[in-house]
Amino acid sequence: MKDIQIRPATSADFEAMWTIFCAHVSAGETYPFGPEVTREAAQMYWFGQGVTSRVATLGERVLGMYRVVPNQLGRGRHVANASYMVSPAAQGVGVGRLLGEHSLGEARSQGYLAMQFNYVVSTNVAAVMLWKKLGFSIVGTLPKAFRHKRLGYVDAYVMYQLLQDPDHWPTADE
Protein backbone atom coordinates (compact mmCIF):
# COMPACT_ATOMS: atom_id res chain seq x y z
CA MET A 1 0.00 0.00 0.00
CA LYS A 2 2.87 2.41 0.66
CA ASP A 3 3.83 2.42 -3.02
CA ILE A 4 0.35 3.48 -4.18
CA GLN A 5 0.26 7.12 -5.25
CA ILE A 6 -2.80 9.32 -5.68
CA ARG A 7 -2.36 12.08 -8.22
CA PRO A 8 -4.42 14.23 -10.59
CA ALA A 9 -5.90 12.21 -13.44
CA THR A 10 -4.71 13.14 -16.92
CA SER A 11 -6.00 12.40 -20.38
CA ALA A 12 -3.20 9.81 -20.66
CA ASP A 13 -4.92 7.89 -17.83
CA PHE A 14 -8.27 7.74 -19.56
CA GLU A 15 -7.75 4.43 -21.39
CA ALA A 16 -7.19 2.65 -18.06
CA MET A 17 -10.02 4.63 -16.45
CA TRP A 18 -12.35 3.66 -19.29
CA THR A 19 -11.50 -0.02 -18.75
CA ILE A 20 -12.33 0.26 -15.04
CA PHE A 21 -15.47 2.26 -15.80
CA CYS A 22 -16.67 -0.37 -18.30
CA ALA A 23 -16.07 -3.18 -15.81
CA HIS A 24 -18.34 -1.49 -13.26
CA VAL A 25 -21.00 -0.54 -15.76
CA SER A 26 -21.15 -4.03 -17.28
CA ALA A 27 -21.37 -5.63 -13.82
CA GLY A 28 -24.55 -3.62 -13.23
CA GLU A 29 -24.20 -3.73 -9.44
CA THR A 30 -22.98 -0.34 -8.25
CA TYR A 31 -23.46 2.46 -10.80
CA PRO A 32 -26.61 3.68 -12.54
CA PHE A 33 -24.92 4.02 -15.94
CA GLY A 34 -26.45 1.74 -18.55
CA PRO A 35 -24.57 -0.29 -21.15
CA GLU A 36 -25.31 2.40 -23.75
CA VAL A 37 -23.05 4.94 -22.03
CA THR A 38 -20.49 6.25 -24.50
CA ARG A 39 -16.79 6.70 -24.09
CA GLU A 40 -17.30 10.43 -24.63
CA ALA A 41 -19.92 10.62 -21.86
CA ALA A 42 -17.59 8.79 -19.49
CA GLN A 43 -14.76 11.12 -20.38
CA MET A 44 -16.95 14.14 -19.59
CA TYR A 45 -17.98 12.49 -16.31
CA TRP A 46 -14.35 12.22 -15.21
CA PHE A 47 -12.87 15.29 -16.93
CA GLY A 48 -15.72 17.75 -17.45
CA GLN A 49 -15.69 21.37 -16.38
CA GLY A 50 -15.56 21.72 -12.59
CA VAL A 51 -14.61 18.07 -12.03
CA THR A 52 -11.61 17.24 -9.85
CA SER A 53 -10.42 13.74 -10.79
CA ARG A 54 -7.68 11.73 -9.14
CA VAL A 55 -6.22 8.30 -9.85
CA ALA A 56 -4.55 5.79 -7.57
CA THR A 57 -1.52 4.28 -9.26
CA LEU A 58 1.04 1.61 -8.57
CA GLY A 59 3.89 2.48 -10.88
CA GLU A 60 2.21 3.20 -14.21
CA ARG A 61 -0.85 1.03 -13.46
CA VAL A 62 -4.12 2.80 -12.62
CA LEU A 63 -5.81 0.97 -9.75
CA GLY A 64 -8.80 3.25 -9.26
CA MET A 65 -10.11 6.77 -9.40
CA TYR A 66 -12.39 9.30 -7.81
CA ARG A 67 -14.03 12.55 -8.76
CA VAL A 68 -15.22 15.47 -6.63
CA VAL A 69 -17.81 17.99 -7.79
CA PRO A 70 -20.26 20.34 -6.12
CA ASN A 71 -23.38 18.38 -5.20
CA GLN A 72 -25.64 21.29 -6.18
CA LEU A 73 -25.40 24.75 -7.68
CA GLY A 74 -25.72 28.08 -5.89
CA ARG A 75 -26.81 27.73 -2.28
CA GLY A 76 -25.96 24.01 -2.25
CA ARG A 77 -22.49 24.43 -3.72
CA HIS A 78 -20.79 24.13 -0.30
CA VAL A 79 -21.56 20.38 -0.26
CA ALA A 80 -19.30 18.12 -2.32
CA ASN A 81 -20.30 14.97 -4.12
CA ALA A 82 -17.84 12.24 -5.03
CA SER A 83 -17.74 9.03 -7.05
CA TYR A 84 -15.23 6.20 -6.89
CA MET A 85 -14.24 3.20 -8.97
CA VAL A 86 -11.57 0.62 -8.18
CA SER A 87 -10.29 -1.87 -10.73
CA PRO A 88 -11.78 -5.30 -10.07
CA ALA A 89 -8.19 -6.63 -9.96
CA ALA A 90 -7.35 -4.18 -7.14
CA GLN A 91 -10.43 -4.58 -4.95
CA GLY A 92 -10.16 -5.76 -1.37
CA VAL A 93 -6.64 -4.44 -0.66
CA GLY A 94 -7.47 -0.92 0.59
CA VAL A 95 -7.42 1.12 -2.61
CA GLY A 96 -11.00 2.28 -2.01
CA ARG A 97 -10.12 3.41 1.50
CA LEU A 98 -7.10 5.36 0.22
CA LEU A 99 -9.25 7.04 -2.42
CA GLY A 100 -11.97 7.81 0.13
CA GLU A 101 -9.56 9.32 2.64
CA HIS A 102 -7.82 11.32 -0.06
CA SER A 103 -11.10 12.65 -1.47
CA LEU A 104 -12.20 13.85 1.96
CA GLY A 105 -8.95 15.77 2.30
CA GLU A 106 -9.36 17.13 -1.22
CA ALA A 107 -12.91 18.29 -0.48
CA ARG A 108 -11.75 19.99 2.73
CA SER A 109 -8.89 21.70 0.89
CA GLN A 110 -11.35 22.97 -1.73
CA GLY A 111 -13.40 24.51 1.09
CA TYR A 112 -16.44 22.24 1.10
CA LEU A 113 -18.47 22.15 4.32
CA ALA A 114 -19.76 18.61 3.77
CA MET A 115 -19.80 15.66 1.41
CA GLN A 116 -22.91 13.86 0.24
CA PHE A 117 -23.27 10.64 -1.69
CA ASN A 118 -26.61 10.70 -3.46
CA TYR A 119 -26.83 7.09 -4.54
CA VAL A 120 -24.95 4.34 -2.69
CA VAL A 121 -26.43 1.00 -3.71
CA SER A 122 -27.49 -0.81 -0.53
CA THR A 123 -26.19 -4.17 -1.73
CA ASN A 124 -22.70 -2.69 -2.21
CA VAL A 125 -21.92 -3.73 1.36
CA ALA A 126 -18.17 -3.08 1.12
CA ALA A 127 -18.78 0.54 0.08
CA VAL A 128 -21.47 1.15 2.71
CA MET A 129 -19.18 -0.23 5.43
CA LEU A 130 -16.21 1.80 4.18
CA TRP A 131 -18.16 5.06 4.09
CA LYS A 132 -19.45 4.45 7.60
CA LYS A 133 -15.88 3.79 8.81
CA LEU A 134 -14.83 7.07 7.20
CA GLY A 135 -17.51 8.99 9.09
CA PHE A 136 -20.53 9.01 6.78
CA SER A 137 -24.06 8.39 8.02
CA ILE A 138 -27.01 7.07 6.08
CA VAL A 139 -29.43 9.98 6.09
CA GLY A 140 -31.96 8.58 3.68
CA THR A 141 -33.10 5.44 1.92
CA LEU A 142 -34.43 5.48 -1.62
CA PRO A 143 -36.66 2.39 -1.78
CA LYS A 144 -36.05 0.19 -4.84
CA ALA A 145 -34.22 3.06 -6.58
CA PHE A 146 -31.53 0.93 -8.25
CA ARG A 147 -32.13 -1.80 -10.81
CA HIS A 148 -29.40 -4.31 -9.93
CA LYS A 149 -28.38 -6.53 -12.83
CA ARG A 150 -28.78 -9.78 -10.80
CA LEU A 151 -30.99 -8.88 -7.83
CA GLY A 152 -33.60 -6.66 -9.42
CA TYR A 153 -34.78 -3.55 -7.61
CA VAL A 154 -32.79 -2.72 -4.48
CA ASP A 155 -32.56 0.31 -2.21
CA ALA A 156 -30.03 3.11 -2.55
CA TYR A 157 -28.75 5.24 0.31
CA VAL A 158 -28.03 8.92 0.65
CA MET A 159 -24.93 9.27 2.86
CA TYR A 160 -23.60 12.47 4.41
CA GLN A 161 -20.69 13.81 6.43
CA LEU A 162 -19.84 17.27 7.72
CA LEU A 163 -16.23 18.06 6.87
CA GLN A 164 -15.89 21.31 8.81
CA ASP A 165 -17.63 23.05 11.70
CA PRO A 166 -20.57 24.97 10.23
CA ASP A 167 -20.40 27.49 13.11
CA HIS A 168 -17.20 28.84 11.55
CA TRP A 169 -18.77 29.28 8.13
CA PRO A 170 -20.40 32.43 6.79
CA THR A 171 -24.16 32.46 6.49
CA ALA A 172 -25.70 31.85 3.09
CA ASP A 173 -26.08 35.56 2.38
CA GLU A 174 -22.56 36.66 3.36
Side-chain angles (χ1 to χ4, degrees):
M1 293 301 288
K2 66 179 178 155
D3 294 332
I4 295 174
Q5 303 294 312
I6 297 178
R7 60 167 175 75
T10 69
S11 58
D13 297 316
F14 186 68
E15 192 61 41
M17 294 170 74
W18 172 244
T19 299
I20 294 168
F21 182 89
C22 287
H24 284 275
V25 170
S26 68
E29 297 180 352
T30 58
Y31 270 82
F33 296 103
E36 72 284 350
V37 67
T38 65
R39 181 183 178 94
E40 292 74 26
Q43 192 161 22
M44 286 303 299
Y45 183 76
W46 292 102
F47 292 102
Q49 184 176 1
V51 177
T52 297
S53 290
R54 302 286 186 256
V55 290
T57 60
L58 183 59
E60 297 298 314
R61 186 173 160 226
V62 174
L63 304 176
M65 62 265 201
Y66 76 81
R67 72 191 282 271
V68 173
V69 296
N71 193 52
Q72 299 292 330
L73 302 174
R75 294 185 181 269
R77 186 172 185 80
H78 59 282
V79 177
N81 177 265
S83 302
Y84 310 80
M85 289 185 175
V86 175
S87 168
Q91 290 177 346
V93 298
V95 175
R97 182 179 189 91
L98 287 173
L99 290 168
E101 290 170 345
H102 194 276
S103 70
L104 289 168
E106 180 67 34
R108 282 184 187 95
S109 74
Q110 289 187 26
Y112 287 104
L113 175 66
M115 186 177 284
Q116 177 174 321
F117 301 147
N118 299 321
Y119 206 79
V120 180
V121 178
S122 63
T123 56
N124 188 355
V125 176
V128 173
M129 287 176 38
L130 173 60
W131 303 140
K132 285 181 175 181
K133 286 178 188 173
L134 293 181
F136 286 84
S137 298
I138 295 172
V139 296
T141 300
L142 308 170
K144 309 298 182 203
F146 182 75
R147 191 168 39 90
H148 193 284
K149 189 172 182 176
R150 291 180 301 104
L151 303 175
Y153 295 104
V154 299
D155 296 347
Y157 298 135
V158 177
M159 299 184 79
Y160 193 83
Q161 178 183 164
L162 280 173
L163 302 175
Q164 303 190 39
D165 183 349
D167 291 337
H168 294 100
W169 268 61
T171 63
D173 292 325
E174 291 182 26

